[in-house]
Amino acid sequence: MHNARVTDDGARIRWVELPGRSGSSRTRVYLHGLGASSGPYFTASAVHPLLADSRSLLMDLLGFGISDRPTEFGYTLEEHADAVAAALEAAGAHGADVIAHSMGGAVAIVLAARHPHLVARLVLVDANLDPVAPGPARPGSSGIVAYSEEEFLSYGRSEVRERVGPHWWATMRLAGHEALHRSAVHLAAGTTPTMRELLLELKIPRTFLRPSADGPLPGEERLVGHGVRVVAVPDCGHNIMLDNPQAFAEETARALAA
């Protein structure tokens, strides 16, 4: 396990590092989604024969998994991206391939836009591209954004635990309470320009993996027109790397060979 100080107050991001095969000069960075952790979600993929050749950093965002959970941190997507950037600088990971799931994908897009020297290629795994308006019909990630922070800390977290089930809760329970709520709120609010618009303007190879059962992405034709390779992966839900690990490894390896 490695770590790096990423805030002025001394908060640290931590990651598990796999060396890869000798002779490879590339670094791959794996970023998890909201309430998750990169180790449980990405280890099997990182050691898959198709992906095990490069140095791999299974990195936990600030507030999640094995990283620190500072209560004074804002947890905007931009702040998450800057914290990851500081960790990558400390790790000497410049021009990395970033494989990022869900909220991690949104952070990765912002990272590539704000710190272009750190990201050479992007593989987005069913990532968030657009803001989500809160409300009864679309309350955001597991309803977290329907609560104020005070409500979430008081009783909302317990209600969310009952909704998400044991699999997601296995890692969500490790998240800082403020970190989980603020990250969900800022993910739903998105960025300006939006993550989608930032993605369209990036000049690096970009691949978006989506579950085939979900049908085309909103605006998929425009994404493809701007050079984003969109791949429909069969036999999976949102957690593509867990639901269909072989197809995930094949498509990720194909994307990183671009």
Side-chain angles (χ1 to χ4, degrees):
M1 184 173 66
H2 298 256
N3 70 88
R5 176 174 170 163
V6 297
T7 70
D8 292 339
D9 294 331
R12 291 183 177 271
I13 275 182
R14 295 180 178 84
W15 65 92
V16 173
E17 184 162 332
L18 306 175
R21 302 190 185 107
S22 61
S24 175
S25 60
R26 301 206 62 83
T27 298
R28 291 178 183 154
V29 179
Y30 292 85
L31 298 177
H32 61 82
L34 181 71
S37 173
S38 286
Y41 279 76
F42 280 119
T43 296
S45 297
V47 301
H48 190 284
L50 291 173
L51 297 174
D53 55 322
S54 295
R55 174 194 186 203
S56 296
L57 313 183
L58 281 66
M59 187 168 288
D60 281 349
L61 298 172
L62 206 61
F64 297 90
I66 58 176
S67 291
D68 285 348
R69 302 156 180 77
T71 58
E72 68 278 5
F73 194 68
Y75 295 99
T76 66
L77 293 175
E78 294 86 353
E79 287 172 313
H80 272 304
D82 290 347
V84 170
L88 295 182
E89 292 282 6
H94 301 135
D97 300 327
V98 180
I99 301 101
H101 178 232
S102 198
M103 184 185 80
V107 172
I109 292 168
V110 179
L111 172 70
R114 290 169 72 90
H115 305 276
H117 67 293
L118 294 175
V119 183
R121 292 178 286 198
L122 274 181
V123 179
L124 304 173
V125 188
D126 210 19
N128 300 73
L129 298 181
D130 303 300
V132 177
R138 301 185 69 186
S141 296
S142 299
I144 292 172
V145 301
Y147 303 97
S148 68
E149 184 168 311
E150 181 180 356
E151 291 169 340
F152 184 74
L153 298 180
S154 175
Y155 62 88
R157 183 173 176 272
S158 297
E159 295 181 354
V160 168
R161 178 185 61 202
E162 298 305 315
R163 283 199 294 271
V164 301
H167 180 87
W168 196 1
W169 187 251
T171 54
M172 187 179 287
R173 65 189 178 85
L174 304 176
H177 301 183
E178 294 86 357
L180 181 59
H181 183 266
R182 293 174 196 170
S183 293
V185 167
H186 289 300
L187 178 62
T191 57
T192 304
T194 66
M195 297 84 79
R196 178 184 296 271
E197 295 300 323
L198 293 174
L199 178 62
L200 292 173
E201 295 303 316
L202 293 176
K203 305 305 181 185
I204 57 176
R206 296 146 296 161
T207 297
F208 193 108
L209 305 182
R210 65 165 177 83
S212 60
D214 289 356
L217 294 169
E220 183 169 315
E221 186 175 338
R222 186 173 178 227
L223 290 170
V224 173
H226 279 73
V228 180
R229 179 172 169 263
V230 179
V231 179
V233 182
D235 304 321
C236 65
H238 180 56
N239 296 322
I240 298 173
M241 73 293 284
L242 300 180
D243 296 339
N244 192 340
Q246 182 63 28
F248 175 80
E250 290 172 356
E251 293 300 344
T252 299
R254 187 173 291 117
L256 298 182

